Amino acid sequence: MSTSTLLASLGLLFVLMPLHASADVAVILSKPEHFTDIGEGYGDIRRNTAALEQHLKTQGAQCLRAGEKLELQVFNVDLAGRDEWWYRPGHDLRVMRDITWPKIDLGYAWRDAGGNVISAGREWVKDMNYLLHSATVRHDRDPLPYEKAMLHEW
């Protein structure tokens, strides 16, 4: 590796470091085993909680300035649609209806670089019109597409 390539790589590293330093988002999933609906079976639950946690971290990091911190606590999740009792078990089919909108109960605390609270609260984030914009939601094996779209709008 040449000296100029090494210096360019180090320069790029120093430019990118503040992006990671500003992305201080903590996500706590409070008792996911008691969530209203986070999926069926251990594999679904693990996949969905991991996808939700990663999405909250990514979205939260985009809202923070250098030194700020965001703490999110998820108290309950009710996914869009329902697994219907009449469908064969073992198949991943959720039936979407206008009364089965996604809902997430979450608390948040947004802190400045000094640790002072900028904003804090708890609310149910919900999208009662999720079916109206289903054409714009990605479905290509993306877990939780409606929930991610809802959180992005929030």
Side-chain angles (χ1 to χ4, degrees):
M1 179 180 278
S2 70
T3 305
S4 61
T5 306
L6 179 61
L7 289 174
S9 297
L10 286 174
L12 181 62
L13 178 65
F14 286 120
V15 168
L16 293 177
M17 276 178 51
L19 292 175
H20 295 292
S22 68
D24 193 3
V25 180
V27 177
I28 299 166
L29 301 172
S30 296
K31 300 180 182 176
E33 66 276 6
H34 296 296
F35 287 174
T36 300
D37 177 16
I38 191 66
E40 292 293 320
Y42 179 71
D44 258 4
I45 293 168
R46 220 173 91 212
R47 181 194 72 210
N48 291 342
T49 54
L52 179 62
E53 184 176 3
Q54 182 58 47
H55 186 72
L56 286 169
K57 285 182 178 182
T58 302
Q59 290 292 301
Q62 293 175 4
C63 300
L64 298 177
R65 294 186 186 125
E68 292 181 341
K69 296 179 192 276
L70 180 62
E71 299 159 3
L72 297 166
Q73 186 166 3
V74 179
F75 296 102
N76 198 358
V77 174
D78 190 359
L79 299 178
R82 291 285 174 268
D83 287 312
E84 295 290 339
W85 64 270
W86 50 266
Y87 196 72
R88 293 184 311 185
H91 292 80
D92 190 18
L93 175 73
R94 294 186 71 82
V95 178
M96 305 299 188
R97 295 194 176 100
D98 59 351
I99 62 169
T100 59
W101 60 80
K103 301 176 269 307
I104 299 177
D105 178 12
L106 62 89
Y108 61 92
W110 177 22
R111 300 178 188 278
D112 64 17
N116 302 311
V117 175
I118 297 170
S119 180
R122 181 173 174 173
E123 64 183 270
W124 274 96
V125 180
K126 43 185 132 175
D127 183 3
M128 298 193 308
N129 294 315
Y130 79 106
L131 290 174
L132 293 177
H133 40 75
S134 63
T136 61
V137 173
R138 291 186 52 183
H139 296 279
D140 56 343
R141 299 205 182 270
D142 184 14
L144 314 179
Y146 294 105
E147 294 74 16
K148 288 179 180 180
M150 174 185 69
L151 288 167
H152 180 75
E153 289 301 313
W154 178 66

